[in-house]
């Protein structure tokens, strides 16, 4: 299939942002015409969701997984509750993608689990400042954004505190000394 006329990801994002603006305007507009337009969008979305479901049924398991890897298609599959992977697996993949960059900066990140609609992550940053000591964006912020982008049906990402480092106890202090 040719790429002629296809939209690059930034153009898709711009159109999605514009769609949000238009829908917000329609939802707040008075009168029956606005309500009819909102209803038309809802029904059209349902029809496209059904079309996606049928496409996935015809494609089979392997192609469906490949389709879900595309960011736009993945979001549409989540919107219509058709994504072949559970939110926990998508959150785990998002954390796995970030881990090399976090480790390169002397920290670490791990998905502890997903409980209901909340992902629990443990973030350790170099210097032990996972909460944004410098006031700018933190690794925890990047993890939250990545997880909620990959699994938007989750409602929150809870950061768990890193386990305390074990205290150093010199070995010779543990040895029994003979009385002199």
């Amino acid at each position: 299939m040719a790429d002629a006329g296809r939209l690059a990801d930034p153009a898709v994002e711009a159109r999605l942002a514009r769609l949000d603006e238009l829908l917000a305007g329609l939802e707040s507009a008075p009168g029956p015409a606005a309500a009819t337009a909102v209803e038309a969008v809802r029904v059209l979305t349902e029809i496209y969701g059904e079309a996606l479901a049928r496409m996935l049924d015809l494609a089979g398991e392997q192609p469906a997984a490949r389709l879900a890897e595309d960011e736009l298609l993945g979001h549409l599959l989540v919107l219509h509750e058709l994504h072949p992977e559970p939110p926990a697996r998508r959150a785990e993949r998002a954390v796995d993608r970030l881990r090399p960059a976090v480790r390169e900066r002397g920290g670490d990140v791990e998905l502890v689990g997903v409980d209901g609609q909340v992902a629990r992550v443990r973030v350790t940053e170099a210097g032990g400042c996972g909460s944004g000591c410098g006031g700018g964006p933190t690794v925890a912020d990047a993890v939250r954004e990545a997880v909620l982008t990959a699994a938007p049906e989750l409602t929150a990402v809870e950061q768990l505190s890193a386990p305390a480092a074990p205290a150093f106890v010199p070995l010779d202090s543990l040895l029994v000394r003979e009385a002199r």
Side-chain angles (χ1 to χ4, degrees), residues 41-161:
V41 170
R42 187 189 62 73
V43 171
L44 181 63
T45 301
E46 289 175 1
I47 295 297
Y48 276 111
E50 178 60 25
L52 278 172
R54 291 178 184 198
M55 180 186 69
L56 292 177
D57 289 345
L58 292 171
E61 190 173 314
Q62 192 68 355
R66 287 199 54 225
L67 292 170
E69 291 173 4
D70 179 86
E71 185 175 2
L72 177 58
L73 291 174
H75 286 296
L76 288 174
L77 294 174
V78 168
L79 174 71
H80 296 287
E81 299 178 354
L82 298 170
H83 203 287
E85 286 186 320
R89 176 66 189 120
R90 287 181 273 129
E92 181 179 14
R93 272 203 345 263
V95 168
D96 289 347
R97 280 193 300 269
L98 286 175
R99 187 173 294 115
V102 174
R103 285 184 174 167
E104 188 176 287
R105 290 168 178 76
D108 200 7
V109 60
E110 78 173 297
L111 178 70
V112 176
V114 173
D115 184 19
Q117 293 183 305
V118 177
R120 291 183 178 17
V121 296
R122 183 169 289 119
V123 177
T124 314
E125 292 189 53
C129 183
S131 304
C133 297
T138 65
V139 171
D141 294 334
V143 170
R144 181 179 306 101
E145 182 178 334
V147 167
L148 293 178
T149 297
E153 60 268 79
L154 298 178
T155 57
V157 177
E158 180 181 303
Q159 184 177 338
L160 303 176
S161 57

Side-chain angles (χ1 to χ4, degrees), residues 17-40:
R18 179 67 179 137
L19 179 60
D20 284 342
E21 292 171 7
L22 292 169
L23 289 173
L26 274 175
E27 290 172 345
S28 65
T36 300
V38 169
E39 176 70 8

